[in-house]
Amino acid sequence: MTGPWRTVAKVLTEVFQPPVVVSVLLLISPAIEPGFPGTLWFGLLGAFFVCVLPLAYVLVMVKLGRITDHHVSDRRQRTPLLLLALASVVAGLGVLRWINGPVSVAVMITALIGGIAVLAVVSAFWKMSGHASAISAAAVITVLMFGPAWLPVLLLVPAVGWSRIVLRAHTLAQVIVGAFFGGGVIAVLWWLLRNWMLA
C-alpha cells in the first residue's frame, strides 16, 4: 500500500510504539491509589527504567549500526534487547520498592516483567508484534482502571495492528497473537496482581 494510507500507518506506528504506550501506562498507574496525581512522579520514575533506558540503548545501537532500526525489525536482535530491558525493569522495581513507591506502580511493572519475559522467549523463534501487545495491554488496562466510558480506546488496537501489517513489519497472525497476548495475558496478570497486592 502506498500514498496517504501508508503515511497514516507510519504515524500510528510511531505515535503508538511500545516505549511511548508503556510510558503513558506507567504514568497513570498510580491513579488507582489515593494521592494521585501527586504520586505521578513515581510512574515517571518507573517509565525511566522500563522505557527510557532501553530505548536510549536501542538508539545508540542503531547509531552504531548494530541494530537495524528503533523498532528492532530484525527478530534475531530482539531477544538480547528484551533481556537487557528486563534487567532494567527489575532494577526499576527494586528502586521503587526501596523508596516505598506506590504499590500500583510495582503492580504495573511486575505485570510488564512477565510480558517482557515471554516476549523475549517467543522472539527467539517468532516475531510476535510488540506494538500490538503494548497497545492491547494498555487499552484493556485503561478500561479496567477507569471503567466502560473508556471502551473507545480499544479501537486503537486494530488501528495499530493494521499499521504494522500495512508497513509489512508483521503478518496478520503476528499482530493477532500480539494483541491477544497483551490484552489477554499482560492485562489479566495486571488485574490479578492488583487484586492481590492492593487487597
Side-chain angles (χ1 to χ4, degrees), residues 21-36:
V21 171
V22 173
S23 292
V24 172
L25 198 54
L26 283 162
L27 284 174
I28 65 172
S29 62
I32 60 175
E33 287 188 86
F36 188 82

Side-chain angles (χ1 to χ4, degrees), residues 3-188:
W5 286 114
R6 187 172 179 81
T7 301
V8 171
K10 285 182 178 179
V11 170
L12 286 171
T13 281
E14 293 300 329
V15 171
F16 296 103
Q17 59 181 288
V20 175
V21 171
V22 173
S23 292
V24 172
L25 198 54
L26 283 162
L27 284 174
I28 65 172
S29 62
I32 60 175
E33 287 188 86
F36 188 82
T39 53
L40 189 144
W41 78 271
F42 288 103
L44 185 63
L45 181 62
F48 175 75
F49 283 96
V50 177
C51 303
V52 176
L53 284 181
L55 180 58
Y57 173 80
V58 169
L59 294 177
V60 170
M61 290 298 102
V62 170
K63 187 75 172 177
L64 294 174
R66 297 179 184 176
I67 292 179
T68 51
D69 57 83
H70 66 289
H71 293 304
V72 196
S73 300
D74 188 337
R75 175 185 59 79
R76 294 167 297 180
Q77 298 170 348
R78 289 190 168 196
T79 298
L81 171 62
L82 286 167
L83 290 174
L84 182 142
L86 188 60
S88 181
V89 170
V90 171
L93 183 61
V95 169
L96 281 165
R97 289 179 64 86
W98 180 56
I99 63 175
N100 294 317
V103 176
S104 53
V105 181
V107 166
M108 190 69 75
I109 291 178
T110 304
L112 291 170
I113 287 175
I116 293 171
V118 172
L119 278 171
V121 173
V122 173
S123 291
F125 308 97
W126 197 55
K127 193 182 171 186
M128 181 166 65
S129 175
H131 277 73
S133 296
I135 194 63
S136 180
V140 172
I141 290 172
T142 297
V143 173
L144 291 173
M145 287 178 70
F146 301 115
W150 287 82
L151 281 171
V153 301
L154 293 174
L155 295 174
L156 290 172
V157 178
V160 174
W162 167 83
S163 76
R164 302 306 287 155
I165 295 169
V166 167
L167 297 175
R168 296 184 178 178
H170 291 284
T171 64
L172 178 60
Q174 291 167 344
V175 166
I176 290 174
V177 172
F180 275 105
F181 175 72
V185 177
I186 298 177
V188 169

